[in-house]
Amino acid sequence: MLENLSPVAMAALFLPAFVAFWCLVVYLISRLGGWASLAEDFRATNEPTGEAFSWTSGKVHFFSNYNNSLIATVSRTGVHVAPWFAFRIGHEPIFIPWHTVRGIIQGYYFFRPYTHLAMMTPSGEKSITLYGRRVAESLARNAPENLMRRKLQ
């Protein structure tokens, strides 16, 4: 049956199927990887203000990696993180206020600077790790000093 379709008709069928598959995969990543759980406690309600960093990489818990697909905005009140538009299905923007952060660890993973934020919520401990020197430096400048366990050298 498909061999009788013209290339235009095949493209017209492929595009909606690809978009539906993409949305399903991105949605499942949010649920299985922990972003949805993080968004339950830290759903952003306002537009971000502060230093914005595009093309940021990050990790939620241990499962989901977001390579060069996040926008992190660091301010004196907290950290706003949102994925790029193509990855937004199931990924509500989050805002982590400093008063919910229990500790910040900065270090290197294979020569790549990272900042790990650990938060305690009513539903349990949550965490997010952001990668990149500029983001790490901004987090160190804006986070309360008592939260920093290790700083980049």
Side-chain angles (χ1 to χ4, degrees):
M1 163 129 178
L2 288 177
E3 61 274 356
N4 295 335
L5 292 175
S6 71
V8 173
M10 287 179 70
L13 290 174
F14 173 77
L15 188 59
F18 177 79
V19 169
F21 180 72
W22 177 267
C23 291
L24 175 66
V25 168
V26 171
Y27 179 82
L28 287 175
I29 289 171
S30 80
R31 296 295 181 240
L32 298 174
W35 188 285
S37 172
L38 200 59
E40 286 176 11
D41 293 315
F42 299 107
R43 186 173 317 273
T45 56
N46 297 325
E47 287 297 313
T49 59
E51 287 181 272
F53 301 94
S54 299
W55 303 103
T56 300
S57 296
K59 181 188 288 191
V60 176
H61 303 303
F62 301 106
F63 175 72
S64 56
N65 290 314
Y66 296 89
N67 293 321
N68 300 315
S69 62
L70 299 176
I71 304 164
T73 306
V74 181
S75 70
R76 290 276 181 210
T77 57
V79 183
H80 184 279
V81 184
W84 284 95
F85 176 76
F87 301 98
R88 283 274 168 97
I89 304 295
H91 290 81
E92 295 292 325
I94 59 173
F95 177 74
I96 303 166
W98 291 126
H99 67 85
T100 63
V101 177
R102 297 293 174 245
I104 298 172
I105 298 173
Q106 290 188 321
Y108 290 91
Y109 182 73
F110 289 106
F111 306 104
R112 187 177 182 194
Y114 72 86
T115 304
H116 180 81
L117 288 83
M119 298 81 65
M120 185 57 73
T121 69
S123 59
E125 186 173 326
K126 309 258 171 107
S127 66
I128 187 169
T129 304
L130 299 173
Y131 295 94
R133 176 168 293 285
R134 292 177 47 233
V135 175
E137 290 170 350
S138 182
L139 286 163
R141 277 193 311 274
N142 288 285
E145 187 64 35
N146 63 321
L147 295 177
M148 300 298 293
R149 293 193 195 146
R150 280 187 285 170
K151 286 189 179 180
L152 297 177
Q153 300 295 328

